[in-house]
Amino acid sequence: MKRILIAVLVSSYVVACQTPQDQLSFDPLSYVDPFIGTGGHGHTFPGATTPFGMVQLSPDTRLLGWDASSGYHYSDSTVYGFSHTHLSGTGIGDLGDILFLPYTGERNDTLLATFKKEDEFAAPGYYKVAFSNFDVSSELTSTPRVGWHRYTYDSGQDKQLMIDLGHVLQSNWGHKSTGGFIEVINNREIKGSKLSSGWADDHQVFFHATFSSPFEVLAITDSGRQVDTIKNRGKYLKAFLSFPDSKDSTVTIKVGISPVSQEGAKSNLLVEAKGWDFDQARAAAENQWRQELLKIRVKSSNKKQLTTFYTALYHMHISPMLYQDVDGKYRGIDKAIHQAESGFTNYSVYSLWDTFRAWQPLMSILHPDRTEDWIKALIRKHEEGGILPKWPLAANYTGTMVGYPAAAIIADAISKGITITDDSLTLAAIVHSSLFHANEHLTEPRAKQVSPKHLDYIEKLGYVPADSVSWSVSYGLECAYYDWCIAQVAEKVGDQSTASKYLERSQLYKNYFDSVTTFMRGRIDENQWRYPFSPTESDFNGDFIEGNSWQWSWFVPHDISGLINLMGGPEAFEEKLDALFRADSKLEGEEIPEDISGLIGQYAHGNEPSHHVAHLYNYIDQPHKTQERVKEILLNLYDATPDGIPGNEDCGQMSAWYVMNAMGFYQVCPGDPTYSIGRPLFDEVIMDIGNGKTFTVQSNGASAGKKYITAMSVNGEVLDQTFFTHEDMMQGGTLNIVMSEKR
């Protein structure tokens, strides 16, 4: 792998921004390696995008299977082409729209490029690869809505290009092309569209491409059969072009895309990509990334940790994805075309079940304005589609994962003073999402999956019977927390009746706790547990989603004191936590989910339900154990390598955990704006919190490897517990941490 550390720093330290000279001495882009997470099961991609951009232009090296979810895997050495949309770190694949592949030599309908790792390079907003079997080098960059390609062909070679509109990722999981259109406008312009059905049931994308050199159409095919070379429709359309102009070996292509229309794709192209200066477009993309990454400045001499940190911060800024044209038009989740009013921006790709845990809390610090935009877009989907989504993708519900996590996103933002919209309407939306809607008219094909039978059981029985539906315990625990979130919003609105109802529902987690085994487990009825029971057992359609009882028994972030009491008090709770981390890592089950990864004992950091667990020691006055476990996770489970993410990246959540904990704190319960102090990696971190303010975490001795915190203060006020508040942070100032070898 070519290293991304391309700049040489004047100093051996990354220093805080204090003078203009300091600003010149540090470029965070030097510490971003987009190949981190592209190996193992990280499911990231190395291609060119801008922060939260619609275009995510990247090579597709793998089409089938779980590790094809992003279209790229580091172990591959073949390229099907460069498609314009991708998912970052998901456990399901989709997108991969509008694929371009430059080639030389003879044309065939199954072209495939090969490459060597030493001929591949990636940096924020830029990707480059030289093919081994074709005499061409490819460079990619992007604007939010336009993909830029620059292909340099060897002298004397025929300059050729394939455009594939039938290309999809994970066809073995049901993703398929359902239609396409292509039209050659003239010898420098092509437009078209692609329709597909997969994880997103009905996905449409339009494109308009312009070329720096005139082209000739060699052929247009549909399923390998040649068709008309001017205009055509088909499910598996491919266009083969040549560039006969021999004066220039380089061809530059600009591709505008739109979820709305052909006109939208063209407008996006004309507005965002004027001229033909590829290097200027690359520099603009880099500057967008630089602006985002400079929101956090880290002091450290450890380049490996800096690379892990800034790459994690980079991965946090890929999703959600802009889903609106430059003129404000967007395709709603009702499939209608809407005109956004001033101040509204539509987004898609929300991995809510993952990102409410750390990504949302950190983004509420770094991007309160964008947080407001993202939540407004979620509320708009409720208005257009009839229910809040769980995992919206393009203009589609997917119904993926558990419960109604939008409630957590909303409650956390409101708890931090972020204005959303009419609070009463917001409360109505999250209350509606918590109820079962069997007979409600929801026209989007997968909208009813957002409101499964689990919610009916919770309303009527107070628990989800394990012999009736899968994932009963996971639903029960998650929904109890979401109900607490609803209660927090209701209290903010002043609706005490709703607040009381949902606070009571938030205690239903206790119905899954077995005092004999001291584990959460599946319940058949009020008097009977599911048998047999093993806390290490996990099956794909069992009582727990992507985990087992060891991992899920801790998910009561809203009532940790109640959970401590259930488990027998602080000493018993501590023994149970110790046992979790020391247990044998062996898993049981006929179909064990691959998501259970990053194991320390039975603690599974590679999947999100465990992410708060290391901080639970702080709640029983054993902070040194939180510090030990957090350090172990940071240093042993993350790394600046392709395999350096311990599970699916999940649209920024896995990285957000790292960023927050490396800075020295974590929010255990989104909706409660309290931060738990862990074990920082760096001597100094400075966050830009807006309004000209910064919040600094100074950790004397952290980078030297000192293990334990012996003293803490916020803005000069001594802390006697390892917690501080969001209000403390947003005032600006300093969290001072004194480290020692001994506790």
Side-chain angles (χ1 to χ4, degrees):
M1 179 179 71
K2 279 192 177 178
R3 305 306 300 166
I4 307 304
L5 300 177
I6 55 175
V8 177
L9 298 182
V10 173
S11 168
S12 63
Y13 285 90
V14 178
V15 295
C17 176
Q18 296 177 346
T19 68
Q21 182 59 42
D22 288 333
Q23 295 182 43
L24 293 174
S25 69
F26 170 50
D27 185 357
L29 272 60
S30 301
Y31 293 101
V32 177
D33 182 350
F35 291 110
I36 292 176
T38 60
H41 304 308
H43 295 180
T44 62
F45 63 83
T49 188
T50 54
F52 312 112
M54 183 191 303
V55 166
Q56 300 183 354
L57 178 57
S58 190
D60 289 346
T61 67
R62 185 173 299 196
L63 307 184
L64 304 176
W66 196 46
D67 287 332
S69 293
S70 73
Y72 183 97
H73 198 272
Y74 188 77
S75 63
D76 296 333
S77 58
T78 57
V79 174
Y80 292 87
F82 310 112
S83 61
H84 288 75
T85 60
H86 291 87
L87 295 170
S88 179
T90 59
I92 306 175
D94 205 278
L95 305 185
D97 299 304
I98 318 299
L99 181 129
F100 281 44
L101 177 68
Y103 69 98
T104 58
E106 293 190 11
R107 168 179 66 86
N108 64 70
D109 213 54
T110 57
L111 290 168
L112 183 67
T114 62
F115 70 101
K116 299 175 182 177
K117 287 299 173 186
E118 58 265 31
D119 294 327
E120 185 182 33
F121 176 83
Y126 179 74
Y127 175 85
K128 180 178 181 179
V129 66
F131 295 148
S132 302
N133 61 329
F134 300 137
D135 297 319
V136 58
S137 175
S138 303
E139 297 172 272
L140 311 175
T141 192
S142 72
T143 73
R145 300 173 178 87
V146 178
W148 283 73
H149 308 241
R150 182 163 67 183
Y151 303 139
T152 302
Y153 298 83
D154 284 1
S155 177
Q157 295 292 328
D158 292 333
K159 302 186 290 291
Q160 297 173 114
L161 173 71
M162 178 185 71
I163 302 174
D164 186 353
L165 302 186
H167 173 80
V168 296
L169 302 174
Q170 286 190 338
S171 61
N172 57 323
W173 286 16
H175 191 196
K176 59 182 182 294
S177 173
T178 57
F181 169 73
I182 194 166
E183 180 178 351
V184 178
I185 302 170
N186 53 52
N187 68 351
R188 288 181 184 261
E189 289 184 278
I190 291 178
K191 67 179 181 179
S193 63
K194 173 190 171 183
L195 283 74
S196 63
S197 180
W199 191 14
D201 181 72
D202 177 15
H203 176 49
Q204 299 184 58
V205 60
F206 301 85
F207 79 95
H208 191 104
T210 60
F211 299 78
S212 63
S213 299
F215 61 78
E216 294 179 355
V217 180
L218 299 176
I220 295 179
T221 66
D222 183 16
S223 299
R225 177 179 56 87
Q226 292 204 29
V227 294
D228 188 88
T229 58
I230 301 298
K231 181 188 297 187
N232 233 294
R233 295 186 181 275
K235 287 186 178 181
Y236 303 102
L237 289 170
K238 292 181 180 179
F240 298 88
L241 313 179
S242 69
F243 302 92
D245 185 357
S246 60
K247 296 178 182 179
D248 190 353
S249 62
T250 298
V251 176
T252 302
I253 307 168
K254 300 181 292 186
V255 184
I257 68 169
S258 165
V260 175
S261 65
Q262 298 285 183
E263 295 75 18
K266 184 176 182 179
S267 294
N268 292 341
L269 173 64
L270 293 175
V271 170
E272 290 191 357
K274 296 179 172 66
W276 287 99
D277 194 331
F278 179 96
D279 293 324
Q280 185 179 61
R282 176 188 175 184
E286 289 176 342
N287 284 334
Q288 291 181 56
W289 280 113
R290 188 172 290 110
Q291 181 178 358
E292 297 297 342
L293 299 181
L294 282 172
K295 289 183 180 293
I296 303 179
R297 290 176 174 265
V298 176
K299 179 180 179 180
S300 176
S301 58
N302 190 319
K303 291 186 176 182
K304 184 177 179 180
Q305 289 180 3
L306 287 169
T307 300
T308 305
F309 182 89
Y310 278 105
T311 304
L313 190 60
Y314 164 81
H315 280 141
M316 284 181 57
H317 286 74
I318 292 177
S319 303
M321 179 180 77
L322 177 68
Y323 205 65
Q324 181 171 303
D325 288 345
V326 291
D327 61 2
K329 290 187 173 63
Y330 68 92
R331 186 177 300 275
I333 208 162
D334 57 357
K335 303 301 186 291
I337 304 303
H338 300 266
Q339 179 67 50
E341 67 274 18
S342 177
F344 176 80
T345 303
N346 191 47
Y347 289 87
S348 185
V349 185
Y350 290 80
S351 187
L352 296 175
W353 181 81
D354 305 292
T355 58
F356 81 77
R357 304 164 198 267
W359 182 90
Q360 159 64 26
L362 185 49
M363 285 300 185
S364 69
I365 300 168
L366 300 177
H367 292 291
D369 292 342
R370 275 186 169 146
T371 297
E372 180 181 345
D373 290 343
W374 294 323
I375 295 176
K376 284 182 177 179
L378 283 175
I379 299 297
R380 185 64 56 86
K381 296 179 199 310
H382 164 79
E383 296 169 351
E384 294 167 356
I387 194 168
L388 277 170
K390 278 195 285 194
W391 216 120
L393 174 57
N396 292 263
Y397 289 101
T398 68
T400 298
M401 300 315 294
V402 173
Y404 26 99
I409 297 282
I410 291 168
D412 189 61
I414 288 177
S415 77
K416 295 171 179 174
I418 296 174
T419 302
I420 307 304
T421 181
D422 185 305
D423 286 344
S424 296
L425 293 177
T426 301
L427 177 61
I430 56 179
V431 166
H432 180 265
S433 69
S434 73
L435 305 175
F436 184 57
H437 305 287
N439 300 315
E440 186 168 312
H441 182 62
L442 297 170
T443 58
E444 215 278 342
R446 293 172 184 164
K448 289 189 176 181
Q449 295 179 24
V450 181
S451 179
K453 188 68 174 175
H454 302 77
L455 305 188
D456 190 34
Y457 290 122
I458 291 172
E459 290 177 55
K460 293 177 179 178
L461 301 177
Y463 64 91
V464 182
D467 59 347
S468 298
V469 287
S470 300
W471 309 332
S472 62
V473 183
S474 294
Y475 260 92
L477 297 176
E478 290 266 348
C479 290
Y481 163 65
Y482 301 141
D483 288 341
W484 177 86
C485 291
I486 292 172
Q488 307 313 298
V489 177
E491 288 184 355
K492 170 69 165 52
V493 172
D495 186 342
Q496 290 303 317
S497 176
T498 298
S500 296
K501 173 185 175 181
Y502 279 90
L503 279 176
E504 184 176 349
R505 277 182 45 149
S506 76
Q507 293 295 301
L508 294 178
Y509 74 87
K510 296 174 181 176
N511 288 334
Y512 305 93
F513 184 76
D514 175 14
S515 60
V516 175
T517 64
T518 66
F519 283 98
M520 301 289 181
R521 58 184 296 192
R523 178 180 288 279
I524 302 300
D525 57 38
E526 292 182 1
N527 301 307
Q528 184 181 0
W529 299 106
R530 182 201 284 276
Y531 288 98
F533 169 71
S534 170
T536 62
E537 183 176 6
S538 179
D539 282 304
F540 185 78
N541 288 310
D543 295 341
F544 303 92
I545 190 170
E546 298 181 1
N548 59 29
S549 186
W550 262 123
Q551 292 135 25
W552 273 95
S553 289
W554 313 96
F555 192 78
V556 190
H558 60 290
D559 189 17
I560 295 171
S561 62
L563 181 62
I564 292 169
N565 289 334
L566 277 182
M567 289 189 174
E571 290 185 7
F573 191 79
E574 181 183 0
E575 290 176 4
K576 188 82 170 180
L577 272 175
D578 290 346
L580 167 73
F581 286 102
R582 293 172 181 168
D584 190 311
S585 295
K586 183 179 179 180
L587 303 170
E588 298 178 82
E590 293 183 3
E591 191 177 358
I592 299 172
E594 292 184 86
D595 304 81
I596 306 176
S597 60
L599 288 164
I600 302 174
Q602 282 290 323
Y603 171 85
H605 191 75
N607 208 27
E608 281 69 18
S610 291
H611 276 192
H612 68 298
V613 173
H615 282 264
L616 295 182
Y617 284 110
N618 277 349
Y619 292 80
I620 52 173
D621 198 26
Q622 298 294 325
H624 67 283
K625 291 189 175 182
T626 284
Q627 293 156 30
E628 290 169 349
R629 292 304 181 188
V630 166
K631 181 182 178 182
E632 181 179 10
I633 296 165
L634 286 169
L635 296 184
N636 294 349
L637 296 184
Y638 291 86
D639 200 5
T641 65
D643 291 350
I645 299 176
N648 297 164
E649 162 61 12
D650 286 321
C651 296
Q653 167 59 27
M654 201 66 67
S655 288
W657 190 97
Y658 183 90
V659 170
M660 291 189 83
N661 280 280
M663 290 193 292
F665 58 89
Y666 191 72
Q667 187 174 345
V668 169
C669 181
D672 175 0
T674 301
Y675 300 110
S676 168
I677 298 172
R679 197 281 182 194
L681 280 185
F682 306 116
D683 289 333
E684 185 174 83
V685 175
I686 300 178
M687 284 192 296
D688 179 355
I689 58 174
N691 298 319
K693 296 180 181 179
T694 61
F695 184 74
T696 301
V697 181
Q698 290 182 337
S699 307
N700 180 34
S703 66
K706 293 181 179 180
K707 297 179 181 179
Y708 300 109
I709 295 173
T710 56
M712 303 161 290
S713 63
V714 173
N715 299 330
E717 182 176 344
V718 175
L719 298 175
D720 57 5
Q721 290 186 313
T722 50
F723 300 97
F724 67 100
T725 68
H726 186 71
E727 184 179 0
D728 293 331
M729 177 184 291
M730 299 313 287
Q731 291 174 2
T734 301
L735 169 64
N736 188 272
I737 297 173
V738 179
M739 307 291 297
S740 173
E741 283 294 334
K742 298 180 180 180
R743 60 184 178 90

